[in-house]
Amino acid sequence: MNIAVVGLGALGIAFATFLKKAGNTVYGITKPEYLNRFPGGTVHVKGIWGNHSARLDGIYPSPADIKEKIRLVILTVKSYDTEKALTQIRPIVSEKTLIMIAQNGYGNYEKAVEMYGKKRVILARVIFGSKVVNGNTAEITVSADDVRIGDPSGKINREDVIKVVETINSSGIPASYSPDVYQILWDKILYNCALNPLGALLDATYGQLAENPETKKIMDNIITEIFQVTEKNNIKLRWESPQAYIEHFYGRLIPPTAKHYPSMYYDLKSGKKTEIDALNGAVVMLGKRAGVPTPVNETITRLIKFREKQSQ
């Protein structure tokens, strides 16, 4: 399969390395200032999935530099770069191209569908942890589940989606087909909204947040507001009540990742912009749209934006 990975950060490097090593034709797209991080076009993976290296078929600052027909575009950029990246990939998106949204938060899939239509866009929920080491290496630190891939709209040929799943799974990245991927993504949004900003603000691991009654109460309130907002916006979740999710959250989700720091923590430490607008900020936006107050999510969003300005 001819594949373009747009965004060679921690997630993009991981996808590109495994997919190229498995025999696919893989191009990487990264910002011009990052090109020198990839001498010889090489990318690497280390960590819990072993050590792997690959030489990509090309690493470019623009998708327009790719001359081959692309079957799959994997979008792994930060959510605040989504619209720009979607605009840039137009030269390589044909009638047979699928765009896989593999990003955090709400709004990325929706923006891609708005620009390319439901028959071009599939969704992936990624829940393995990865961080960049030495510029061109992704270290896989934790994996909670398969990459779940599906078509929320039901407009794309099922076999085409399954082909993407099989290509990724056979490369060494655990992946599975999930028709309910949109609900599964919202599971991750719940998880990230509760943990990421607090972990970043307080320099705390997920386990430390869950053990403290003060932060636990804040996380409970974040989750409860999200349930109220999604209900009013007709967004279907996989949980009947916030209490049911909260029980699963503390009992099943936190223990395997208790020592993990959120990516937002590392973003603030390195002076980068965070994805808060696609997480708690998106909850606030959806709340305003439906007339639902979201005071806890709004406060958390404002605090992260303050820290962003302070760290830049």
Side-chain angles (χ1 to χ4, degrees), residues 263-311:
S263 59
M264 197 174 289
Y265 165 86
Y266 296 106
D267 287 340
L268 288 181
K269 288 291 185 185
S270 58
K272 295 180 180 178
K273 188 176 180 180
T274 73
E275 295 185 289
I276 193 67
D277 285 331
L279 296 170
N280 305 75
V283 174
V284 174
M285 179 272 293
L286 289 169
K288 290 179 179 177
R289 179 189 296 176
V292 178
T294 55
V296 181
N297 279 280
E298 185 167 354
T299 299
I300 289 291
T301 301
R302 292 184 183 279
L303 288 172
I304 287 292
K305 287 183 176 292
F306 172 83
R307 283 288 306 275
E308 280 182 343
K309 290 182 179 179
Q310 293 296 107
S311 64

